[in-house]
Amino acid sequence: MMKIKISLAIFLFFSIFFAGGTDAASLPDSVVKSWTKPKAKNTANVTLGPNGFKGISTYLEYELVNSKGKTLYKYKSPYINSSVINKDGLVYLIEEHGKVGSKKTYIVSLDVKGKQKWKREVPTGYAKLALLDQGSLFLNGNDGKNWFIMNIDTKNGKTIWSSKANGYAFYGPSGHVIFGNMEKRYPIYKNNKLVRELTPPENYYLLRASFSKGGKLAVAYQAHGKMLNTIIVVYDVNGNELFSKQIINPYQTGQILFNEKEQLLITYKDTRNAALTCEWYDSNKMTEKSVIPNATSSAIGFDVENLIINTDNNKNMYYLNLTAPVSVNKYNKSGKLIGKTMIPKNYNWERSHDLDNFKYGLFFIEFKNNYYNKDYHIYSYK
């Protein structure tokens, strides 16, 4: 009888030990593979859009694929720079024609059958399109001399308004955009109309900004020449300040992200030990605070590596861990690991410096025996 009790105790001990809550094998997946593009040897990039649309570019050809994996069309071009896709499958491309020195750049609008709706020339140089949830189309770029931003009519390609800019623009789902101008002020537009301007504190500049679906705004102002000195200010829909928070040495500001319930996530890392602090706010009140240990590089400087790449309406956080072995971890609002997907060793993450690209998923490249023999894999959030 004693032997039976001892054996049962040992069995229960090991059952509990191996069922630990942080073991990847005992956790549900955080993301699942939802689509694969096999033998994508000439593929240059993949654009993810709403409702499962995917744009696959080989620079010389653009292929639109729907949520069922069906190819809707293939569009040939002299050179495709980038693209955006709307909820109905309409596509806007940046095309380049000609050689260096005589190159011309165009925006091309394609319908769901791949037929050209309109085409217009834009300044040649760095250019990036942004298509907001409510339908506004923007072009933010640099023509080699000056930064600019253009609001473009999706019906005909004509310019609704344009402005000189001072670097990158930040967009909101309900038609908001904020950008720096040459007077060190930050105009805010909504649905193509100027609604107000922000003036940063003395010797600070706009590092990043995030709009909620309802129009709240969170901005991070960084001190010139001081990466460990940031002021975060949160405004209501009318531009009234809700609260502010300063983050200073040894901490560095990470992300400011709203979910669809207007709840705000602020992250910052400890440059001494690489821990990532995550704070959730409802209006002007902090509701949860958690710390993910060893989450980032302790070096000063932030990229999208090892950061929160997405959130949901339950305040769950999706964290891309690029420190081998690569995984996508899902944490709840208290910082508890509740989901984890291990990424195969031979998969390479398709790097992106734009966190908006993670809204519809993330993708990896599987190299077979050389660079040109590869498959593309898209993962969707659970």
Side-chain angles (χ1 to χ4, degrees):
M1 187 68 178
M2 180 64 71
K3 289 183 178 180
I4 295 175
K5 289 183 178 180
I6 292 173
S7 298
L8 180 60
I10 292 173
F11 171 78
L12 290 172
F13 170 80
F14 280 102
S15 296
I16 294 169
F17 178 81
F18 287 111
T22 59
D23 183 0
S26 67
L27 292 169
D29 282 326
S30 57
V31 293
V32 292
K33 190 185 298 184
S34 56
W35 181 77
T36 293
K37 171 71 173 177
K39 299 180 180 179
K41 65 178 183 178
N42 294 319
T43 299
N45 58 67
V46 175
T47 300
L48 304 183
N51 297 329
F53 287 109
K54 294 164 280 288
I56 305 161
S57 171
T58 65
Y59 289 133
L60 302 179
E61 184 179 77
Y62 185 86
E63 177 183 357
L64 183 67
V65 177
N66 67 12
S67 60
K68 297 180 180 179
K70 179 183 177 181
T71 296
L72 301 181
Y73 64 79
K74 292 184 179 181
Y75 169 82
K76 296 189 181 299
S77 167
Y79 187 87
I80 298 169
N81 184 303
S82 61
S83 68
V84 290
I85 310 169
N86 85 349
K87 62 181 181 179
D88 299 315
L90 302 180
V91 170
Y92 304 93
L93 301 171
I94 295 180
E95 276 189 353
E96 295 180 0
H97 295 233
K99 299 179 180 180
V100 177
S102 60
K103 187 181 294 185
K104 290 187 176 182
T105 303
Y106 300 88
I107 298 177
V108 178
S109 172
L110 303 176
D111 66 17
V112 292
K113 295 182 179 180
K115 293 183 179 180
Q116 190 177 116
K117 294 178 61 182
W118 52 260
K119 178 178 180 178
R120 64 156 296 177
E121 187 174 358
V122 294
T124 295
Y126 168 82
K128 179 187 174 185
L129 287 170
L131 184 62
L132 309 192
D133 290 354
Q134 50 71 263
S136 294
L137 179 66
F138 291 91
L139 179 71
N140 182 209
N142 189 303
D143 60 9
K145 295 181 180 179
N146 298 300
W147 284 91
F148 64 88
I149 183 169
M150 301 170 62
N151 183 198
I152 298 167
D153 193 327
T154 56
K155 296 179 181 178
N156 51 34
K158 293 182 180 180
T159 300
I160 298 174
W161 60 263
S162 64
S163 174
K164 289 184 178 180
N166 186 16
Y168 299 107
F170 301 92
Y171 307 93
S174 299
H176 292 89
V177 58
I178 182 172
F179 60 94
N181 63 19
M182 307 314 291
E183 286 75 38
K184 309 293 184 185
R185 296 193 302 273
Y186 298 94
I188 301 172
Y189 283 78
K190 181 184 179 183
N191 296 331
N192 313 326
K193 294 182 180 180
L194 178 66
V195 293
R196 61 182 180 276
E197 288 186 331
L198 295 183
T199 301
E202 187 71 24
N203 296 320
Y204 283 77
Y205 69 95
L206 183 65
L207 175 66
R208 57 179 57 95
S210 178
F211 289 95
S212 74
K213 194 171 184 178
K216 291 180 182 177
L217 171 63
V219 298
Y221 296 117
Q222 183 164 294
H224 287 283
K226 297 180 180 180
M227 296 186 71
L228 302 185
N229 187 343
T230 305
I231 299 174
I232 295 174
V233 186
V234 182
Y235 303 91
D236 67 15
V237 294
N238 298 314
N240 302 309
E241 183 177 321
L242 292 173
F243 72 92
S244 64
K245 176 184 180 72
Q246 187 168 22
I247 298 173
I248 59 175
N249 192 0
Y251 299 100
Q252 183 181 4
T253 298
Q255 295 139 289
I256 42 177
L257 302 171
F258 284 101
N259 64 12
E260 291 191 354
K261 288 186 175 180
E262 308 285 308
Q263 297 158 331
L264 175 66
L265 172 66
I266 295 176
T267 73
Y268 50 93
K269 75 174 180 181
D270 190 327
T271 59
R272 300 166 299 182
N273 57 25
L276 185 69
T277 299
C278 305
E279 297 178 352
W280 279 102
Y281 290 82
D282 287 347
S283 188
N284 60 351
K285 180 182 178 182
M286 188 200 305
T287 55
E288 288 88 19
K289 181 175 182 178
S290 60
V291 177
I292 302 174
N294 302 313
T296 70
S297 165
S298 59
I300 296 175
F302 253 110
D303 206 342
V304 291
E305 287 96 340
N306 294 28
L307 288 182
I308 306 298
I309 55 173
N310 197 26
T311 62
D312 64 22
N313 288 336
N314 293 317
K315 299 183 181 179
N316 295 318
M317 302 169 286
Y318 295 84
Y319 163 77
L320 178 60
N321 168 42
L322 290 175
T323 304
V326 176
S327 64
V328 181
N329 301 344
K330 183 178 180 180
Y331 295 91
N332 67 10
K333 60 187 179 182
S334 301
K336 180 181 178 181
L337 183 63
I338 59 172
K340 188 170 188 175
T341 297
M342 303 301 300
I343 305 299
K345 290 192 296 184
N346 60 331
Y347 283 25
N348 288 268
W349 175 56
E350 181 69 358
R351 179 185 299 270
S352 172
H353 295 277
D354 186 354
L355 288 173
D356 285 341
N357 289 347
F358 301 119
K359 184 163 54 174
Y360 304 114
L362 64 160
F363 57 96
F364 294 82
I365 304 174
E366 178 187 3
F367 293 104
K368 300 301 180 67
N369 50 21
N370 60 60
Y371 176 80
Y372 297 100
N373 186 8
K374 56 189 177 182
D375 294 350
Y376 271 66
H377 303 282
I378 292 179
Y379 285 77
S380 299
Y381 303 104
K382 285 194 70 178

